[in-house]
Amino acid sequence: MKKYKKQIIDYMIPIFIGGIVVTLLVLPQLVNHIGFTGDDTVFHFSRFYDTAEQIKNHNFSYFQMNYGMGQTGRIINAIYGPFFSYLMGILVLLAGSWFRFQIILTYLLFIIGAIGFFKLSRKVNVSRIVSSIVTILFLTTGYVFYWIYSNNGNCLGAFIMPYVIIQGIDFINADEKGLSWIKLGVTIAVLAQIHLLSTFLAILVLLPFFIYSLVYSKNKKKIWVNVGKAIALFTILTANIWGAFIYLYSTNLLSAPLNFPVDDSALNLFIAGNTTMWKTITDVTLIIICLQLIYVILNYKNEKINTFVTIEGIAFLFISSNLFPWKYITHIFPIVSSYFQFPNRFTAVAYPLLYLGIGLTITELVKNDGIKLGIIASSLVLLVALCNLRSDSIEVNNKVTFERSNPQRIEQMRDKNFKVYFEENEPINPDYLPIQRKISSWKIEKIVFKKLAYNYSFNKTVISDGRLQLKWQEKNNGKQRQLPITMYHQSQLILNGKKVDPTLNVIGMPKVTSKRGENTAILSFKISPIFNALLYISLVGWIGLMFYGLVQLIKHLRN
């Protein structure tokens, strides 16, 4: 019974912490009933709206988006967090409005993040009190808080990163406690189903842990076998993702995300900011990190895990910052500015590593130098966390003031009709459009805005089997009309009952010849049997995994 009580306490504490912190941060939103539209809100809400409508209407289309993204037939979800998108679709329907969805999701993410970081701290024997303090620090800095402000995709990965680092700790302790290949494979697969770029960051984080285990483990063969099993499990659970990438990229030229000058979005370590998010860091956070580094340098021989996570955290913080030669890197590899975009993304892994180290440092201070010094150190870290919480709250209040300037958008987020929000907030991102030649992503965005988005001269209806129907009227025969949809290599277009092979503009918009009177075009997407097989493999893998987990839970409860 004592063991179960400890487990319950170790879950209830972070749930309480996460709930309190997120409530304090979103309180201005709750009081004013104002939803936030950040940099990526429209993009993510539009793709979640698509899956919500698929579920609501029982009319599924895995690739072609018939409801979201302006009903243009674009492909986003199939290669951007597919299964997570469907989970969010369910949550959208349950929430009933975009405002409620945003608040509920924020609560869920903060609680998941709090549980993950608290469990990570407890895994390395940090006390509950210290674990609670560093968990608050984790929740109030970097991409975790930035979610409230921007709804950025990288934030989603930031909430899962503590679970990834738990697997890293298992690498270090592989000889003593073993390495669970199931947990390793599932953790990275979950991350891949949410945000693919965060999966890349997770692999980078785990690589040093893996190398360490190979160097110091007495049973290197077992490490390799477990990693091989984890990779195989990951491959099965993500078959729908890499299968979609192969299926699309092998036959289409897809546009890249917007490219940015990466040196302008690196973390600025020279000037303290008002908040610890995006490319700024508060002075108190920088001071506590410097103190942590000094402690590790003076005690590196005695504290293996603390030294390891701190050095790795400092390395990622350095890479994320303006100290790293990003301008030189992008000159050699221009693709970095499009697909990685922002060096400050590395803070999503740097902060949890460093905060874990800070928790270990306080634990060692209590152990070696007494409770008084431990209390002083804990109070200092708590003060930093509270300073960051205050800074974050100021940013949220500023955001509320900004949103008040657009009362129409506020009402749209409160409206029970989800589609109303997109009437004046249609996504124009260039990501994954089927371009016909290489062209700047910024030029693509302008074309999307002028020609593809906000075109209401066509009546669009979703019909059976995941097809999109367009109807319009013409006064004369033979008029050329560019349809506000986009076609991939696998797309098929039926015009007035006949299959056509239209000419496409640079972003894949078809131009057709209309007849006098009513015209009807039907867009569909052909899925190969091979991809269908991969999709079913992934689904069966997840269902089998859930069944296995249920069996293990029943056995655990019986014992």
Side-chain angles (χ1 to χ4, degrees):
M1 278 305 286
K2 288 183 179 180
K3 182 182 177 181
Y4 287 124
K5 284 181 180 179
K6 287 181 180 180
Q7 290 178 349
I8 292 170
I9 291 171
D10 281 345
Y11 274 100
M12 294 307 297
I13 290 175
I15 289 172
F16 177 76
I17 291 171
I20 291 294
V21 170
V22 71
T23 300
L24 292 173
L25 289 174
V26 302
L27 192 60
Q29 284 185 270
L30 294 173
V31 170
N32 295 281
H33 210 66
I34 291 176
F36 287 173
T37 297
D39 297 334
D40 293 332
T41 305
V42 175
F43 175 76
H44 288 297
F45 280 18
S46 186
R47 66 192 193 91
F48 298 157
Y49 171 71
D50 186 82
T51 54
E53 289 297 306
Q54 287 185 45
I55 295 166
K56 179 182 177 181
N57 294 285
H58 309 292
N59 194 349
F60 294 91
S61 175
Y62 189 82
F63 283 92
Q64 180 176 298
M65 300 184 76
N66 296 324
Y67 300 98
M69 293 313 214
Q71 293 189 284
T72 55
R74 291 181 60 176
I75 295 173
I76 300 289
N77 285 336
I79 48 180
Y80 195 124
F83 287 168
F84 178 74
S85 298
Y86 280 97
L87 284 176
M88 291 301 97
I90 296 171
L91 185 59
V92 167
L93 294 175
L94 292 173
S97 74
W98 288 119
F99 169 72
R100 286 199 291 268
F101 168 76
Q102 189 175 64
I103 295 297
I104 292 170
L105 179 56
T106 299
Y107 266 87
L108 289 174
L109 289 173
F110 268 75
I111 289 171
I112 289 169
I115 292 172
F117 196 83
F118 190 87
K119 286 188 67 176
L120 171 62
S121 300
R122 296 290 290 147
K123 189 173 184 66
V124 291
N125 299 318
V126 175
S127 69
R128 287 194 179 102
I129 293 175
V130 177
S131 294
S132 300
I133 292 171
V134 289
T135 298
I136 296 171
L137 190 60
F138 169 73
L139 294 175
T140 55
T141 52
Y143 272 91
V144 173
F145 164 68
Y146 192 53
W147 166 260
I148 295 174
Y149 196 83
S150 71
N151 297 150
N152 182 279
N154 205 66
C155 303
L156 297 170
F159 287 101
I160 306 299
M161 211 54 67
Y163 298 90
V164 174
I165 300 173
I166 287 174
Q167 307 310 312
I169 300 299
D170 282 344
F171 270 116
I172 290 180
N173 298 326
D175 282 351
E176 299 173 16
K177 299 180 181 180
L179 175 67
S180 172
W181 61 271
I182 295 178
K183 290 181 180 178
L184 177 61
V186 170
T187 300
I188 308 303
V190 166
L191 198 53
Q193 294 288 356
I194 296 173
H195 188 242
L196 201 58
L197 189 56
S198 293
T199 310
F200 169 71
L201 293 178
I203 293 170
L204 289 182
V205 170
L206 289 178
L207 193 58
F209 288 100
F210 172 62
I211 294 171
Y212 181 95
S213 68
L214 286 180
V215 172
Y216 291 101
S217 175
K218 296 176 183 177
N219 195 342
K220 295 176 175 57
K221 182 180 178 181
K222 192 173 182 180
I223 296 291
W224 278 110
V225 169
N226 283 330
V227 169
K229 290 178 180 179
I231 292 173
L233 179 61
F234 169 82
T235 303
I236 292 170
L237 297 177
T238 60
N240 61 315
I241 300 175
W242 56 261
F245 266 88
I246 294 172
Y247 189 49
L248 289 172
Y249 276 89
S250 62
T251 52
N252 296 277
L253 178 63
L254 302 184
S255 62
L258 292 171
N259 61 305
F260 295 88
V262 292
D263 51 314
D264 288 343
S265 60
L267 178 67
N268 192 341
L269 291 179
F270 296 118
I271 302 174
N274 296 322
T275 183
T276 303
M277 69 172 186
W278 190 234
K279 61 178 184 178
T280 62
I281 185 170
T282 57
D283 47 5
V284 289
T285 305
L286 196 54
I287 289 170
I288 202 75
I289 289 173
C290 289
L291 290 175
Q292 169 65 14
L293 179 60
I294 292 170
Y295 176 85
V296 165
I297 290 173
L298 296 175
N299 298 275
Y300 71 93
K301 289 183 179 180
N302 303 321
E303 301 176 25
K304 178 178 66 174
I305 295 179
N306 193 358
T307 301
F308 190 92
V309 297
T310 300
I311 297 302
E312 186 176 0
I314 290 292
F316 278 114
L317 192 71
F318 169 73
I319 295 171
S320 72
S321 74
N322 49 5
L323 297 175
F324 193 75
W326 279 108
K327 187 174 287 187
Y328 177 74
I329 295 295
T330 51
H331 180 72
I332 300 174
F333 305 106
I335 194 172
V336 171
S337 63
S338 293
Y339 287 97
F340 194 74
Q341 296 177 307
F342 315 118
N344 60 70
R345 290 182 190 270
F346 283 111
T347 60
V349 295
Y351 287 142
L353 285 167
L354 290 168
Y355 297 161
L356 178 63
I358 289 170
L360 285 165
T361 293
I362 297 174
T363 302
E364 290 299 320
L365 287 174
V366 173
K367 181 180 177 182
N368 300 327
D369 301 293
I371 190 70
K372 289 183 179 180
L373 187 59
I375 291 173
I376 293 171
S378 298
S379 300
L380 178 63
V381 176
L382 181 60
L383 180 63
V384 173
L386 293 176
C387 286
N388 286 341
L389 181 62
R390 179 179 178 274
S391 300
D392 295 343
S393 298
I394 292 172
E395 291 294 327
V396 172
N397 277 296
N398 291 339
K399 186 74 171 175
V400 167
T401 302
F402 174 79
E403 291 292 342
R404 278 205 184 101
S405 64
N406 194 338
Q408 185 178 1
R409 190 164 66 189
I410 292 173
E411 291 303 319
Q412 289 170 345
M413 291 201 77
R414 297 172 181 171
D415 202 301
K416 293 182 179 180
N417 183 354
F418 296 107
K419 193 174 183 180
V420 171
Y421 177 70
F422 302 110
E423 289 178 355
E424 295 182 7
N425 300 289
E426 197 166 315
I428 57 174
N429 308 62
D431 309 46
Y432 316 124
L433 279 165
I435 55 177
Q436 307 306 300
R437 65 176 187 275
K438 288 189 177 181
I439 182 174
S440 164
S441 55
W442 288 100
K443 289 183 179 178
I444 294 171
E445 186 185 56
K446 291 179 181 178
I447 297 170
V448 172
F449 181 78
K450 289 180 180 179
K451 297 184 177 182
L452 187 60
Y454 304 105
N455 193 327
Y456 302 115
S457 57
F458 294 79
N459 180 29
K460 295 181 179 179
T461 308
V462 185
I463 58 177
S464 61
D465 300 322
R467 297 174 296 162
L468 182 62
Q469 177 181 273
L470 287 79
K471 288 189 175 184
W472 69 98
Q473 297 288 332
E474 290 289 3
K475 294 181 180 180
N476 302 307
N477 277 317
K479 184 174 180 179
Q480 294 289 301
R481 177 74 72 165
Q482 195 160 59
L483 305 183
I485 54 176
T486 188
M487 294 183 65
Y488 296 76
H489 176 76
Q490 293 86 352
S491 300
Q492 293 181 346
L493 188 67
I494 305 294
L495 177 64
N496 297 322
K498 294 181 180 180
K499 183 180 177 181
V500 294
D501 187 17
T503 57
L504 307 175
N505 74 350
V506 69
I507 62 169
M509 294 175 64
K511 182 178 285 186
V512 298
T513 304
S514 305
K515 67 177 183 178
R516 184 178 180 181
E518 185 178 71
N519 289 264
T520 302
I522 298 175
L523 179 69
S524 60
F525 189 90
K526 185 179 180 182
I527 302 178
S528 74
I530 294 176
F531 175 78
N532 273 330
L534 292 174
L535 177 59
Y536 289 133
I537 286 171
S538 182
L539 285 169
V540 170
W542 284 106
I543 293 170
L545 189 68
M546 287 186 282
F547 180 75
Y548 171 79
L550 182 62
V551 170
Q552 293 301 310
L553 178 62
I554 293 171
K555 286 183 179 180
H556 182 69
L557 292 175
R558 283 179 177 175
N559 293 331

